[in-house]
């Protein structure tokens, strides 16, 4: 049984005050939430503050990035064991914004996946096609290439207790969400692909959808059997909207 997983990706947003207020507002309502895993990924500099503000709340913390090295002369980088040290459970990797702006390749992302598994953190592996690739009918091919970068080098067992976030690049931050029934087809395709290697791993893997998720499209998204969760960007910065998305997940998936 897969528990719905709702993760808020704050990206490069927030300050001390926003961290405190947003978390305070989320925590007010978390007692009403059952059966879901809820997480937030504030900017790395605020993770410790967020952990303090969460004060034993069930909300889990994620980082938005990790380095491939564990220590050494890598100015500006943060390692997996440092993240673990400050109470982080999940790490978003392969986000299209890092693929584009930081030129992260499938190989680098596979290395990040591997180091997270080694240290005992849970990767949230983002995959998805660009508008051009979609227009060319290459969505499945792109998703498989991004999954294969890990599958072919680390084996299907590496996907045990991990998360895949399908995020069509063209839908991120644009207000243009993919049609939920289309997302379902793609998620089923991804699960079936993993199923061919290992049924148990395919059945437990959490497949999130990300890309302009709001309180308005969450209901239809969570009505799809293979949409196990959502990775929410912009809408996760408003406590009320994020809580509505969580509530919808709880109701639709219970
Ligand atoms: P969005 O971002 O919800 O603002 O589209 C999603 C993401 O990038 O994870």
């Amino acid at each position: 049984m897969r528990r719905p997983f709702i993760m808020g990706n704050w990206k490069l947003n927030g300050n001390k005050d926003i961290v405190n207020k947003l978390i305070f507002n989320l925590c007010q309502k978390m007692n009403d939430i059952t059966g879901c895993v809820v997480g937030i990924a504030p900017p790395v500099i605020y993770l410790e503050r967020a952990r303090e503000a969460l004060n034993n709340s069930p909300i889990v913390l994620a980082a938005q990035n990790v380095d491939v090295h564990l220590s050494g002369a890598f100015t500006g980088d943060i390692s997996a064991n440092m993240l673990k040290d400050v109470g982080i459970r999940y790490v978003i990797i392969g986000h299209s914004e890092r693929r584009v702006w930081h030129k992260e390749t499938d190989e680098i992302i596979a290395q990040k996946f591997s180091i997270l598994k080694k240290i005992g953190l849970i990767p949230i592996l983002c995959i998805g096609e660009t508008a051009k690739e979609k227009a060319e009918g290459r969505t499945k091919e792109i998703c498989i290439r991004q999954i294969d970068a890990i599958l072919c080098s680390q084996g299907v067992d590496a996907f045990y207790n991990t998360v895949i976030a399908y995020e069509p690049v063209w839908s991120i931050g644009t207000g243009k969400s993919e049609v939920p029934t289309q997302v379902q087809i793609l998620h089923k395709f991804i699960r079936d692909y993993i199923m061919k290697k290992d049924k148990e791993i395919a059945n437990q893997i959490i497949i999130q959808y990300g890309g302009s998720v709001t309180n308005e499209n969450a209901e239809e998204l969570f009505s799809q059997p293979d949409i196990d969760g959502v990775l929410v960007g912009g809408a996760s910065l408003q406590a009320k909207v994020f809580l509505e998305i969580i509530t919808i997940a709880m109701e639709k998936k219970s």
Side-chain angles (χ1 to χ4, degrees), residues 9 11 95 167 171-173 211-213 231-234:
N9 174 11
K11 309 192 182 189
H95 194 285
E167 298 204 301
S171 73
I172 296 174
S212 299
V213 175
L231 183 54
V232 188

Side-chain angles (χ1 to χ4, degrees), residues 9-10 18 89 94 103 122 153 162 169 183 206 208 213 227 232 234:
N9 174 11
W10 292 11
I18 288 174
R89 294 262 304 281
K103 307 272 180 287
I122 303 174
S153 57
T162 62
V169 180
V183 179
I206 297 292
Q208 293 180 320
V213 175
I227 302 182
V232 188

